[in-house]
Amino acid sequence: MEFNDNQPVYPMGVAAQILGVHPRTLRIYEAEELISPYRHGGKRMFSKNDLVRIECLRKLIHEENLSIPGIKKLLDYTPCWKLKDCPHETRQKCCELSGKKKKCWEFSQKTCEKSCKNCEVYLK
DNA sequence: ATTCTCACA
DNA sequence: TGTGAGTA
């Protein structure tokens, strides 16, 4: 009951419908690198975790009056191991990967299994 | 029928 | 953010 949360199951339309947003919005979030849906031959596929993540983003944007660039900024200043206390082992794994280019929250869906770590830090 | 990208209101 | 055009 943990692996299926990261399973890409929803196509654009469905995901947008569930979230009550326009497909355009989701594409924008992706363009802004706030989410990274799976790609199956051009088609975006969202996992359940992607959905909750997006719910967080929308909450931040509307209730906390944060802008897209603002969120990106926060993420830049927020190391993942501060949001969740993962074992040093896992942390090293993260840093290896992140040292490359990726931001930790982008593959957090695979490495760190926290789904919505953003909310914690934002609310503080 | 669906999604994709792009450009514009 | 939302829409429409033109594809694949």
Side-chain angles (χ1 to χ4, degrees), chain A residues 81-99:
Chain A
W81 57 84
K82 282 222 158 187
L83 302 179
K84 59 165 292 181
D85 30 67
C86 45
H88 351 308
E89 186 183 323
T90 305
R91 191 164 83 198
Q92 290 224 315
K93 232 178 187 175
C94 284
C95 294
E96 287 181 24
L97 300 173
S98 61

Side-chain angles (χ1 to χ4, degrees), chain A residues 57-100:
Chain A
L57 293 176
R58 296 189 62 71
K59 180 175 182 178
L60 292 174
I61 294 175
H62 292 98
E63 296 182 25
E64 303 294 332
N65 293 309
L66 282 177
S67 62
I68 306 300
I71 296 177
K72 291 171 67 175
K73 213 73 168 181
L74 281 183
L75 291 174
D76 280 338
Y77 292 113
T78 310
C80 56
W81 57 84
K82 282 222 158 187
L83 302 179
K84 59 165 292 181
D85 30 67
C86 45
H88 351 308
E89 186 183 323
T90 305
R91 191 164 83 198
Q92 290 224 315
K93 232 178 187 175
C94 284
C95 294
E96 287 181 24
L97 300 173
S98 61
K100 235 189 168 201

Side-chain angles (χ1 to χ4, degrees), chain A residues 20-57:
Chain A
V21 301
H22 263 257
R24 185 69 169 67
T25 307
L26 297 182
R27 297 193 179 108
I28 290 176
Y29 288 169
E30 183 192 27
E32 299 292 345
E33 298 182 290
L34 282 125
I35 56 176
S36 49
Y38 294 72
R39 288 286 192 154
H40 240 56
K43 318 293 185 187
R44 295 182 183 76
M45 294 298 284
F46 295 82
S47 67
K48 293 189 176 182
N49 278 341
D50 283 331
L51 298 194
V52 316
R53 183 184 175 71
I54 294 170
E55 284 177 351
C56 288
L57 293 176

